[in-house]
Amino acid sequence: MYEDRIRQPELRQKIMTAEEAARLFRDGMSVGMSGFTKAGDCKALPAALAERARQEDLKLTLITGASLGNDSDGLMAQAGLLARRMPFQADASLRKKINDGEVMFIDQHLSETVEQLRGHNLAPIDIAVIEAVAITEDGGIVPSTSVGNSASFVEQAAQVIIELNLRMPLSLEGLHDIYVPAARPGRTPIPMLNVDDRIGGAAIRVDPARIAAIVVTDSADSPSAILPPDDETQAIAGHVIEFLSGEVKAGRLTPALLPLQAGIGTIANAVLHGLLDSPFAGLTMYSEVLQDSAFELLDSGQLDFASASSITLSEARHETFLQEVERYRSRLVLRPQEISNHPEVLRRLGIIAINTALEFDIYGNVNSTHVGGTHMMNGIGGSGDFARNAHLSIFVSKSVAKAGAISSVVPMVPHVDHTEHDVDVVATEWGLADLRGLAPRERAELIIERCAHPHYREELRHYFRQACKRGGQTPHMLELAFSWHERFRRARSMLA
């Protein structure tokens, strides 16, 4: 059975059910699972482990690339399986457990997790569970639609369980570029000079003796929940495209721009979608996730090449991609996330980073993670990796949320993920503020006038004028800085 998928015959003896494989886990273990923004995630083991946790005491530390699909995080959280989770999640049930203090969540830059493991700052991986398309003759694991942290999990784990997903076509083989940096000290530079450079192998190397089980699955990735562009996101895209066009006109960029990165989500996806009607061509992407818009740009011919760590698509686009992998093969590559998000590479390539903010303040500090400053939404993801090291760091957001009850532009963000030092441009549907070369007082005036919703603009002006009377390089009235958030907590609206 599965001769085309399991090419080392003796490994076929390790095929077992998910329930049998779940018996290999022990309470207190640290587990690394494949999966990055719902792509290439393990499909069977999470449910089997959740069922075990309902029957007996079993708690695990779970580390992934990013969020899992198929409601896996929710199933495991509800079963009480998760003691500790990192570095990213996007599940409502798990989010509640985190905010209730029942699951300890460690929010990390996505490039840093395996560095923490490699440096022994985290408990070592006991078992790695990796989705694969195939296992090669010499035991190499061919990933599916993401690489994430899988290569390092496999390298470090005492045991490896492979979920062999028959739903994923063998044509995915060869799409991956697996390169793992050496331990420090003595690490050599990452030898990548261009977005389309291949610097590693096509499969994840593993000693076949460490493969403890192979679980055969036949399940699709969960589709992305990205909404189509609306009037507000189209307006944001228009402002960003106008700004980039101005950079070209000023001679700071060419019509090919620089390699693009876009964070996961509806707004960033809409900005890339807007490039379809732009004058730019010969584009490249060096991102962590490829969404629908990336494939629209590949199909239009404007995007020449795209590099990422995962492919996360709507259901229709996902099925089309799996059927037509060969059409995209020469123009795509999937890498480990510590390479797709590596500061060294990002600085060298000169990325234009476009990420989404929950809110930003009048000085350009960005909150990407915590609602009301206290309640985790999803996590910082890779936005910090890119923002700190990009040639241009752009953050986008709709100006209001909850039908206008929340302003996304506030006097001071109650939680800071990206300081003003890492933010070059902010944009909402009302306009764009280019913050480069501006002092804090200059930034505040521009952000208020260009980006704030008109319903909140005058109160922001008043706050800033009164703060300036007190002086300071970054004027604030600390007793009122979070008054908008407190007002929303009491009255469910920031409007005065």
Side-chain angles (χ1 to χ4, degrees), residues 56-271:
E56 59 187 277
D57 289 336
L58 180 65
K59 286 191 176 292
L60 304 174
T61 291
L62 178 62
I63 309 175
T64 59
S67 53
L68 301 178
N70 295 283
D71 299 321
S72 293
D73 268 326
L75 287 172
M76 292 186 285
Q78 290 166 2
L81 176 67
L82 302 180
R84 192 170 296 270
R85 180 76 170 88
M86 65 184 81
F88 187 86
Q89 57 76 43
D91 181 270
S93 296
L94 175 54
R95 184 181 303 128
K96 185 177 188 307
K97 294 280 187 180
I98 291 167
N99 288 319
D100 288 345
E102 296 179 36
V103 175
M104 296 296 103
F105 180 65
I106 296 90
D107 188 24
Q108 292 180 311
H109 296 299
L110 294 188
S111 68
E112 289 190 349
T113 305
V114 295
E115 291 283 28
Q116 294 283 315
L117 286 165
R118 192 177 289 124
H120 309 292
N121 298 318
L122 300 172
I125 299 292
D126 294 297
I127 298 179
V129 188
I130 309 298
E131 180 173 271
V133 170
I135 307 170
T136 65
E137 292 81 357
D138 56 355
I141 300 170
V142 179
S144 58
T145 49
S146 74
V147 179
N149 285 324
S150 295
S152 290
F153 290 160
V154 168
E155 182 178 73
Q156 298 171 22
Q159 293 180 298
V160 178
I161 297 173
I162 297 172
E163 285 200 5
L164 190 70
N165 192 346
L166 305 183
R167 183 72 62 93
M168 297 295 172
L170 281 169
S171 55
L172 289 171
E173 188 169 1
L175 203 64
H176 313 90
D177 184 47
I178 311 299
Y179 178 93
V180 178
R184 295 183 289 244
R187 178 183 297 178
T188 58
I190 296 170
M192 183 178 295
L193 301 178
N194 304 288
V195 168
D196 57 354
D197 286 348
R198 286 180 174 268
I199 59 176
I204 299 170
R205 312 314 310 166
V206 61
D207 178 356
R210 287 196 292 121
I211 298 177
I214 299 172
V215 176
V216 179
T217 66
D218 188 352
S219 301
D221 284 341
S222 295
S224 73
I226 294 171
L227 299 173
D230 57 25
D231 290 344
E232 286 84 8
T233 57
Q234 287 179 328
I236 294 168
H239 297 317
V240 173
I241 291 166
E242 182 181 11
F243 166 74
L244 294 174
S245 297
E247 293 295 288
V248 173
K249 186 176 181 180
R252 290 187 286 268
L253 293 173
T254 73
L257 303 180
L258 283 167
L260 300 168
Q261 177 263 337
I264 190 73
T266 296
I267 300 179
N269 185 69
V271 172

Side-chain angles (χ1 to χ4, degrees), residues 464-478:
F464 179 60
R465 286 195 299 266
Q466 295 304 112
C468 285
K469 291 178 182 179
R470 295 189 181 182
Q473 196 253 356
T474 305
H476 268 302
M477 295 184 289
L478 294 180

Side-chain angles (χ1 to χ4, degrees), residues 390-394 420 422-426 433-436 443:
H391 171 77
L392 281 171
S393 175
I394 302 171
E420 60 186 281
D422 299 333
V423 180
D424 297 317
V425 174
V426 292
D434 180 358
L435 307 178
R436 294 173 297 175
R443 284 172 164 240

Side-chain angles (χ1 to χ4, degrees), residues 234 241 245 271-280 297 300 302:
Q234 287 179 328
I241 291 166
S245 297
V271 172
L272 285 189
H273 177 84
L275 292 174
L276 290 166
D277 297 321
S278 76
F280 310 124
L297 288 166
S300 75
Q302 290 164 279

